[in-house]
Amino acid sequence: MWFLAYSLQVHSRRWCFGGKWILGSSYGCRQYKKDILPSPEGPVPPVTATEIRQYLRAQGIPFHDGYSCLHVPSIFVEEPQQVRHSYSLFIDKTTGRFVCTTTLVEGDWQDFQASIELRHKGMAVGDLEDTDGHRDQVAEDARHIWERALPLSELLDEQEIQEAKAAFGISNVSNATLKRFGVRYLRTARTLVFPWFSPRGTTLKGLKLLGVEHKGKTTHYVENTLPRPSAYHNLFGLSLINRRDAEVILTSRELDTLVLHQVTGLPSLALPRGISCLPPALLPYLEQFRRITLWLGEDLRSWEAAKLFARKLNPKRCSLVRPSDQQLRPLEAFNQGLSLTKILRSALPAGHKSIISFRQLREEVLGELSNVEQVAGVKWIRFPELNKLLKGHRKGELTVFTGATGSGKTTFISEYALDLCIQGVNTLWGSFEINNVRLAKVMLTQFALESLEEQLDKFDEWADKFEDLPLYFMTFHGQQNIKTVIDTMLHAVYMYDISHVIIDNLQFMMGQEHITVDRLAVQDYIVGAFRKFATDNSCHVTLVIHPRKEDEETELQTASIFGSAKASQEADNVLILQNKKLVTGSGKRYLQVSKNRFDGDVGIFPLQFSKPSLTFSAPIKGKVKLKKVKEDNAAPSKKASAATDGTSKKQRSESPSKQLSAPVTSPDEPVKS
């Protein structure tokens, strides 16, 4: 694998496009922090749509009820005439966050209320955006890169233009289309540069740089963004939208947006994080459209993302392009001569009735039969033996995990979840027993595959990479009410498109419930709540439950899980961390899969613990196995191009292989749960 190498000297810092961000002393005060979800002190979600409407009426503020937001006249626009006729401030019905699309001022519900109070007192309403200068610095860095890039049409050598376009599969995309969207080319790095402009198209807000690697018939895209993906919310092509446009096509890649607009003439936008997330901050910019078509990709993960995003956008106005052999990604379909207009006309409505017939399910059943590997879910890279049993990690399932005290449950489950998170599975951690600082330290060590305590000079390097993972933490600690926890999980699914929640552990929610004095009934109620959440939100829940107090000389079984049989009955998967050391004083740990509802396979496999890296995984020997696991996760349709999804990050293609390079030392005691 070769990497693109492009470096710029910008104010004593070096920004490198080769999958790494190399930041100098100017970034000593880190601005990007891992998101922490609200604690019980603040309600989650902070406000309801009914409360927002009541407040607006009480304040005499007119509003329109939109698809995802309430539209009100902006209080940040100074011209009275403009305020009267422009409902340019949008308030999210679910979270209460707002954005003014005219002034780009944004904030939470409390910020909005505070601004109203200031206006009543005759005081000026200030800009609520961050004023630490960091955003300005990032914008300056983006401008330096932007100025060094050239429109493809301005390259002197026509052959160079054709070679550059052919490398990205856009030979048939006209120079006029590239110019309209502002696409440029970095000759030194052989990289396409996609700009993100403000909604009015007056300010450069960020960049996405796209490189390409060819291996035979397989194409891999390598991308970087400035600022980082987790810190930026924008839509490629947004500045080209006319206020009168009523229909739009959403894609997961900028290249797809180009061909769709060129062929159909319809407004087309690309999501900044592809299929991984649709930030609610973008919803106001999509409110004007009466019809939204989501064409995100050619695999089942793209199909699942499209259905999830449609729920945020209001399914009544959404149509989805279902992946199939004849409905590939827009770019691949275009290059194969398929009719993009015909495919768009075949898009299915996202809304559906509560009762449907097999005729409506027929194509989806065929899709699952035709894509067995994709249906099996995301594969683990660190635990290939787990793939042989569970086949993969799937949305909408409930996994119950148990193990004896001191066996290393928390240490194992953190690596188990980290493995998936590295591959783009948006993850929410609810650690009620171990505080977040300690948990994050364990996960960072597992991520780096080495102890950082004696190598603090490497901390920033690994921490910067770790921050880019789609990983979030609840701030709960100790006993919590199940309703508060579920509300927080619902909030996280909406805000960050979470697809995996870890609850460590169930016992910390039992003391807060007063439904009955029967502890078993309380536990059954809690398990049922998590089961319902997983099903309703298509989100995988991993629930850690302590075992019963049994004879320490016997191995744990499914019946050893604390409580009634409901936990094991409701679970799709039951995993048991067995520790022969605790039983016999010698031997190793191993993981037992005692229930697998997907296809029934059960079994055990040994684990090796490395104390320096706090990992249970053994290195995979040879690149062939690693390549196979990655290909299984990509799992394109039979006739689809093997092009990597446009949302792939450099870390997702590079980090796993780095993780597997560290040797596993002799077993030792893990961090006790």
Side-chain angles (χ1 to χ4, degrees), residues 59-87:
Q59 297 295 327
I61 301 175
F63 63 89
H64 298 324
D65 217 326
Y67 296 102
S68 308
C69 305
L70 295 173
H71 309 186
V72 304
S74 177
I75 60 176
F76 302 99
V77 177
E78 296 180 359
E79 295 79 2
Q81 190 69 20
Q82 191 174 2
V83 173
R84 188 178 301 115
H85 298 288
S86 176
Y87 282 66

Side-chain angles (χ1 to χ4, degrees), residues 109-350:
W109 177 241
Q110 288 72 29
D111 292 329
F112 179 80
Q113 291 175 305
S115 299
I116 295 295
E117 294 299 321
L118 288 176
R119 191 178 68 163
H120 287 335
K121 295 177 181 179
M123 300 173 64
V125 179
D127 192 332
L128 299 176
E129 289 193 287
D130 184 39
T131 58
D132 62 0
H134 179 70
R135 293 188 182 183
D136 293 338
Q137 186 60 66
V138 171
E140 183 181 347
D141 291 349
R143 281 195 300 272
H144 275 269
I145 299 171
W146 180 245
E147 291 168 358
R148 285 160 175 75
L150 294 173
L152 278 169
S153 59
E154 293 184 11
L155 297 179
L156 298 178
D157 190 346
E158 182 65 27
Q159 182 178 353
E160 184 181 5
I161 296 175
Q162 295 305 320
E163 289 178 353
K165 293 170 73 172
F168 291 90
I170 56 173
S171 297
N172 296 323
V173 176
S174 68
N175 290 338
T177 299
L178 295 172
K179 183 178 180 180
R180 175 174 173 77
F181 282 87
V183 181
R184 294 189 178 185
Y185 185 69
L186 275 174
R187 301 174 83 174
T188 309
R190 297 180 181 179
T191 301
L192 287 181
V193 181
F194 299 97
W196 283 318
F197 291 109
S198 63
R200 298 184 300 276
T202 57
T203 308
L204 180 69
K205 305 293 288 184
L207 299 173
K208 177 176 286 188
L209 287 83
L210 186 69
V212 65
E213 301 173 353
H214 295 287
K215 291 186 177 181
K217 296 182 178 180
T218 303
T219 302
H220 295 284
Y221 292 104
V222 181
E223 64 180 46
N224 262 318
T225 62
L226 186 67
R228 294 178 178 178
S230 59
Y232 192 69
H233 310 302
N234 208 324
L235 294 157
F236 174 69
L238 182 62
S239 60
L240 302 178
I241 297 297
N242 188 291
R243 291 183 179 180
R244 296 182 179 180
D245 291 330
E247 181 176 355
V248 70
I249 307 170
L250 288 185
T251 73
S252 61
R253 290 192 321 193
E254 291 75 13
L255 298 177
D256 294 328
T257 295
L258 297 175
V259 299
L260 278 169
H261 178 76
Q262 176 172 305
V263 173
T264 67
L266 294 172
S268 301
L269 300 171
L271 298 173
R273 295 193 234 172
I275 64 172
S276 65
C277 184
L278 171 57
L282 298 178
L283 299 182
Y285 301 108
L286 300 171
E287 280 288 291
Q288 75 180 70
F289 302 108
R290 292 194 298 270
R291 175 181 169 85
I292 298 177
T293 302
L294 292 96
W295 190 350
L296 302 185
E298 78 284 1
D299 57 16
L300 290 184
R301 291 185 72 180
S302 301
W303 175 244
E304 290 176 351
K307 292 189 289 186
L308 180 62
F309 295 168
R311 292 170 59 181
K312 287 186 180 182
L313 294 165
N314 192 323
K316 293 181 180 179
R317 61 171 173 158
C318 294
S319 297
L320 316 178
V321 175
R322 186 197 303 278
S324 71
D325 291 347
Q326 296 301 313
Q327 295 179 183
L328 314 175
R329 278 188 174 279
L331 178 60
E332 281 71 29
F334 176 63
N335 289 335
Q336 292 186 24
L338 301 178
S339 172
L340 302 188
T341 303
K342 183 178 180 180
I343 294 175
L344 287 171
R345 282 201 299 262
S346 68
L348 303 174

Side-chain angles (χ1 to χ4, degrees), residues 438-483:
R438 187 181 176 199
L439 174 62
K441 184 178 73 171
V442 170
M443 297 186 76
L444 179 61
T445 302
Q446 294 173 332
F447 181 69
L449 278 176
E450 57 183 332
S451 175
L452 299 176
E453 292 180 357
E454 299 177 357
Q455 304 179 76
L456 293 180
D457 56 315
K458 294 184 178 181
F459 174 79
D460 285 339
E461 175 188 353
W462 285 109
D464 286 343
K465 295 177 182 179
F466 190 72
E467 282 184 1
D468 284 337
L469 296 180
L471 177 63
Y472 307 87
F473 301 89
M474 299 187 208
T475 56
F476 302 129
H477 191 67
Q479 292 188 342
Q480 299 299 332
N481 180 279
I482 179 62
K483 183 181 184 303

Side-chain angles (χ1 to χ4, degrees), residues 469-570:
L469 296 180
L471 177 63
Y472 307 87
F473 301 89
M474 299 187 208
T475 56
F476 302 129
H477 191 67
Q479 292 188 342
Q480 299 299 332
N481 180 279
I482 179 62
K483 183 181 184 303
T484 304
V485 175
I486 293 293
D487 284 346
T488 303
M489 292 161 58
L490 289 169
H491 176 79
V493 167
Y494 180 80
M495 290 294 296
Y496 309 109
D497 296 300
I498 295 297
S499 55
H500 185 201
V501 178
I502 303 99
I503 300 296
D504 184 14
N505 58 68
L506 176 140
Q507 273 80 356
F508 279 88
M509 274 160 283
M510 295 180 60
Q512 292 289 316
E513 301 301 327
H514 304 287
I515 304 172
T516 174
V517 294
D518 187 347
R519 287 179 59 81
L520 296 182
V522 172
Q523 177 169 327
D524 289 350
Y525 168 77
I526 295 173
V527 171
F530 284 124
R531 167 77 270 175
K532 186 176 186 301
F533 171 87
T535 303
D536 292 348
N537 296 279
S538 188
C539 180
H540 194 114
V541 176
T542 298
L543 183 60
V544 179
I545 305 178
H546 285 316
R548 304 173 188 272
K549 293 183 179 180
E550 297 181 340
D551 187 353
E552 294 184 355
E553 296 183 359
T554 61
E555 294 185 348
L556 299 176
Q557 304 295 329
T558 302
S560 303
I561 299 173
F562 181 85
S564 69
K566 184 177 178 66
S568 58
Q569 291 171 351
E570 293 278 10

